[in-house]
Amino acid sequence: MKKVYIETYGCQMNEYDTELVRAVLMRDGYHMVDKEQEADIIMLNTCSVRDNANRKVYNRIHTLRHSRNGDPLLIGVLGCMATNFRQKLLNDRDLKLDFVVGPDSYKRLPSLIKEVEQSGKSAYDVTLSEFEDYADIYPSREIGVNAWIAVMRGCNNFCTFCVVPYTRGRERSRSPRNIVQEARRLANEGFKQVTLLGQNVNSYHFNGKDFAYLLEKVSQIQGLERIRFTSPHPKDFPHRLLHVVAENSKVCKHIHLPLQAGNSRVLELMNRTYSKEEYLTLVQDIRSHYPGMIITTDIIVGFPSETDVEFEDTVDVMQKVQFDAAYIFKYSERKGTIAARRFPDDVPENKKTERIVRLNELQNQISLEKNRQHIGEFQDVLIEQESTRKSPHDFQGRNDGNKIVIFPAGEYSKGEFVKVKITDATPHVLKGVVINQERTA
Ligand code: SAH
Ligand code: SF4
Ligand code: F3S
């Protein structure tokens, strides 16, 4: 039996895809292992969204080749780099890759591997499909607390900076019935939470059924206690959806709402299809439906031609909105994107650094302030694991707003809900003590 080791980079969609790949391979008799040293085949499920994600993978392949020099070992690249850099990857003699397989071709993995074994030559398939949704594959997950479910794949938005529409192809949604089946099975297996995934998850639509409909359907499943979703796009927030998120007790009160930039001219160049004012109005709308909604965001600094004055608009939006958390990135030019073709990457590196440092400092202050406002509250926390941060004597879980909550260990187990009184906060976590065991698993 061939042993396979997979390493996953990038977003949650890639994590989900790794679970699909495991299922495909196991069905074909492969055995999955946790240690690279034990593997006959190593796969890297890669990300291409920024240049440092790419570089990490190149370095990793070199290390793997070096450490297993001489072994009859196959190494392959899956995921977004596969589609984006197929030729470069295969032509690179140092990497000596055996296969390169894109996100829509995972069902062909077993036959491609056989092809490589028989011919001794490398193989690839990076064809993008308008239809592949893997609806017939039940991902092989580690039993845990949260399960990812991809409800749609691909992206049609073509934000000008972004490589995803090229690496993952056109948008397609799975049927609600198929998604509900998967979620039901997960509930039966003991998962308490599902996170519905899509590159642009709220553009989900299937035969007239939209994302609000899907959320409601999934929330009716017994045994599931929490439903999350990521990432939505600000352009697809009809009131009906806001209403479901605000009113449905199982849908978590957290919206990740990527801003990208605060200036309307820059937003237009990015093809984000909303202005600064429209974004701010949407945030107001969200808060009028649910004042305590946790809102997080993604921001890019140093998009081509972004001036100092325009950057101040991003600062302004951050101050006005008071995000609970923000993931801030320096613009990284991606080959083949509209921005790479049209706009020179002309904001100097030191400017990008200055801007990212400034935003991170500001966000840290805001996050700390926001988190401190929770002190004294009693929150329902779904336990995930022993704390990774401080000591083995702590446990950690998440509250409804997706914030990490740390508390002293007790007789609890993963997947259990506890009521925690929040006693302290940092910019990144809440700390507290368990008041009582709400419900048991
Ligand atoms: N589908 C998700 C985003 C996927 S990429 C969405 O639309 O929200 C995650 C984040 O990476 C983006 O929100 C953006 O902030 C950042 N990003 C994408 N392309 C980038 C680039 N070329 N340079 C820097 N950051 C980028
Ligand atoms: Fe990229 Fe924009 Fe699609 Fe998100 S919505 S994946 S940023 S093109
Ligand atoms: Fe990266 Fe692809 Fe996800 S580029 S962020 S792994 S969609």
Side-chain angles (χ1 to χ4, degrees), residues 9-11 13-14 46-49 80 163-164 167-168 199:
Y9 299 79
C11 62
M13 187 63 87
N14 258 16
T46 60
C47 172
S48 203
V49 80
C80 290
V163 79
V164 172
T167 63
R168 289 188 166 267
Q199 297 312 327

Side-chain angles (χ1 to χ4, degrees), residues 49-50 161 199 231 258 260 298 300 329-332 334:
V49 80
R50 284 171 292 275
F161 52 79
Q199 297 312 327
S231 274
Q260 311 302 3
D298 290 347
I300 298 176
F329 311 104
K330 291 183 189 174
Y331 173 69
S332 165
R334 309 314 294 134

Side-chain angles (χ1 to χ4, degrees), residues 155-159 161-165 199-200 233 260 272:
C155 182
N156 288 352
N157 286 346
F158 290 94
C159 301
F161 52 79
C162 183
V163 79
V164 172
Q199 297 312 327
N200 180 189
H233 191 293
Q260 311 302 3
R272 288 294 287 179

Side-chain angles (χ1 to χ4, degrees), residues 109-293:
L109 265 170
S111 65
L112 287 166
I113 293 171
K114 275 176 207 112
E115 206 180 300
V116 176
E117 285 170 337
Q118 277 160 14
S119 70
K121 290 194 196 127
S122 56
Y124 68 89
D125 188 348
V126 293
T127 325
L128 289 172
S129 153
E130 281 175 49
F131 310 103
E132 183 57 83
D133 61 5
Y134 295 102
D136 52 332
I137 305 212
Y138 187 72
S140 155
R141 301 173 172 90
E142 308 276 342
I143 290 297
V145 177
N146 171 73
W148 313 112
I149 305 182
V151 301
M152 51 89 69
R153 300 178 71 88
C155 182
N156 288 352
N157 286 346
F158 290 94
C159 301
T160 57
F161 52 79
C162 183
V163 79
V164 172
Y166 307 92
T167 63
R168 289 188 166 267
R170 295 295 59 77
E171 219 169 88
R172 65 218 96 127
S173 296
R174 275 166 70 186
S175 78
R177 180 207 287 249
N178 181 253
I179 294 164
V180 167
Q181 258 172 10
E182 182 167 342
R184 251 198 220 118
R185 193 163 156 188
L186 288 165
N188 288 338
E189 285 173 12
F191 285 92
K192 289 285 184 311
Q193 172 180 296
V194 295
T195 305
L196 308 184
L197 295 180
Q199 297 312 327
N200 180 189
V201 72
N202 49 344
S203 75
Y204 174 90
H205 61 98
F206 189 91
N207 286 347
K209 305 286 196 260
D210 65 1
F211 189 60
Y213 172 89
L214 183 69
L215 271 182
E216 293 216 293
K217 277 280 162 207
V218 174
S219 73
Q220 286 157 8
I221 297 170
Q222 277 201 353
L224 291 183
E225 308 262 359
R226 279 183 173 172
I227 297 148
R228 300 189 187 282
F229 59 92
T230 200
S231 274
H233 191 293
K235 77 180 166 65
D236 292 314
F237 264 103
H239 275 252
R240 214 167 77 76
L241 176 57
L242 284 183
H243 187 76
V244 172
V245 179
E247 301 295 322
N248 190 306
S249 62
K250 287 196 190 170
V251 178
C252 291
K253 305 300 174 247
H254 166 217
I255 296 181
H256 184 66
L257 198 66
L259 166 68
Q260 311 302 3
N263 177 267
S264 296
R265 186 192 73 92
V266 176
L267 284 167
E268 173 138 16
L269 290 185
M270 288 177 160
N271 190 31
R272 288 294 287 179
T273 69
Y274 52 84
S275 63
K276 175 183 182 185
E277 290 68 34
E278 283 164 335
Y279 186 92
L280 289 171
T281 307
L282 174 58
V283 170
Q284 261 177 5
D285 247 23
I286 292 173
R287 295 212 164 119
S288 72
H289 278 81
Y290 196 91
M293 189 73 75

